[in-house]
Amino acid sequence: MSTELLAPLDLAFWHLETADHPMHLGALAYFSPPAAGDDAAATGSEEILGLLATRAAAIPRLRMCVRDVLLPVGGSAWTADKDFDVRRHLRQVRLPAGDFAEAAARLAGELMERPLERGLPPWEMYLLTGGPGDPFGVLVKLHHALADGMRAVAIGAGIFDEIAGPLAARARKSGRRAGLGPSPVPPRSWLPGPWQVAGMARGRIEELGRALGVGASLLGASLARAGRLDPRGAAALSATSSGTRRLATAVLDLDDVHAVRRVAGGTANDVLLATVAGALRRWMAERGDTLPLTDPSALVPVSRRRPGGPPGSGNKLSAYLLGLPVSEADPWARLYAVRTGMDRNKAAGPLRGAGAVAVLADQLPPLAHRFGAPLAGNAARMLFDLLVTSVPLPRSALSLGGFPLREIYPMAPLARGQSLAVAMSTYRGHVHFGLVADGKALPDVDRLARAVEEELAALVELVC
């Protein structure tokens, strides 16, 4: 049976999970029926469900579950599930008549509340169907220990026609049948030979030095933030967790984002972060909240994967910490503040500041994650107020069983002490926002999603 040790950061995500804070990523995709007369138009929900089952079973990573190991102490490993049954991970839900997108988003929020079952490969997939003429949706949940956003996209892409077809062809060419199990991996020895000891010692010394540097930077940034915390600003974005989840969505035109970028400078991501800041300001004002004296801090994840390199397994993350200038009334000043803040982050690199907590986690031994997870989870509130992440998607058009992908909304987990996580993906000329909120702390998250669209529209008016 093939095994692979969980990397330290993956192990951290595995142990950070609690009943009220499940640590899975998600995506809600909508597919439009093809034009009348197309052969795919006759495809029913049973056929789509069967197609999802076949393609999910053919992805080796989705057949792996987490098991504890004796060495290293406190460690765990990915192990092929000898009793794997894809049907335990796939379900169909028929939505009531009415607004399909509204019902799908409501259900997605409820399903994101539920932790994935331990002991099984940590993923689920739901086929959401409505009445005649409605589109259909697919909700995917993947545990964060399984993948970061980029790796999750690489795994989930295997269900699409454009990726599944070539993968199956390569499998047939190599003489393997898709779905029979993961590719053979040589068993991994956890006991090094004498010739490896010297190299491992040098590596551990280098890792220790790196961890001390990151830890010092993390402590300094956290203490500085603690000194600036404003209790008035905490009410809107942090509250005692209720364990409930709500999903709200927003769609922006990518051409509008670039129109603002060309005038304001910086990157498209700078414009999007400034849009989130402006939307939070609008939303807080409408709620009657007092604007905080200290701007909320956003954790902005950054991939540590090398450009053009293989996706690899597990998480390769760091993050930047960015103050979102919600207290600034001038939208151009907000754009400048975001651009300046991100330029400063990039100049310092991903190993500096409170955002480097993921890098520090990647340097700790397994036992530290097993026993230190509760402490680390409770510290999240001291590091940041909300997560704002960008999830890359393939640039080409995608489809499932001939049905074109219309929209896809990424979803990020909520850290302990946070009430909002914002994820965004660009697909076919649009930026799709998925806002995951604590359902009781932020019951009006739909209004915040509309504020995102309104804020970009206001920025576009300024440049036209």
Side-chain angles (χ1 to χ4, degrees), residues 235-399:
L237 295 178
S238 64
T240 301
S241 175
S242 67
T244 61
R245 297 290 182 270
R246 286 179 63 91
L247 169 67
T249 62
V251 183
L252 305 183
D253 191 310
L254 186 58
D255 287 341
D256 288 345
V257 175
H258 285 302
V260 176
R261 176 193 58 79
R262 283 191 290 271
V263 175
T267 68
N269 199 53
D270 293 342
V271 175
L272 292 172
L273 289 168
T275 300
V276 171
L280 285 170
R281 179 183 173 86
R282 288 171 177 265
W283 173 70
M284 288 179 179
E286 288 186 8
R287 287 166 55 99
D289 291 348
T290 301
L291 293 176
L293 296 176
T294 302
D295 289 326
S297 293
L299 194 71
V300 183
V302 179
S303 175
R304 292 191 289 130
R305 300 183 188 278
R306 294 182 179 179
S313 60
N315 288 267
K316 301 289 184 183
L317 288 174
S318 184
Y320 295 137
L321 195 69
L322 177 70
L324 294 177
V326 301
S327 59
E328 175 56 63
D330 183 357
W332 287 114
R334 285 198 297 269
L335 277 164
Y336 178 77
V338 167
R339 178 183 174 184
T340 302
M342 288 302 290
D343 285 347
R344 186 166 52 245
N345 279 328
K346 293 170 187 175
L351 300 183
R352 307 295 296 176
V357 62
V359 180
L360 179 61
D362 220 15
Q363 308 295 327
L364 298 178
L367 205 57
H369 292 301
R370 187 175 291 270
F371 292 106
L375 179 62
N378 289 326
R381 175 68 186 95
M382 294 298 296
L383 299 178
F384 60 97
D385 296 294
L386 73 159
L387 178 78
V388 183
T389 183
S390 180
V391 181
L393 291 178
R395 294 184 179 182
S396 59
L398 300 171
S399 61

Side-chain angles (χ1 to χ4, degrees), residues 148-165:
D148 54 25
M150 188 176 293
R151 178 60 178 163
V153 170
I155 293 173
I159 70 169
F160 293 112
D161 300 337
E162 293 75 14
I163 289 95

Side-chain angles (χ1 to χ4, degrees), residues 157-176:
I159 70 169
F160 293 112
D161 300 337
E162 293 75 14
I163 289 95
L167 288 177
R170 284 200 295 270
R172 287 193 297 270
K173 187 175 180 180
S174 64
R176 294 183 289 107

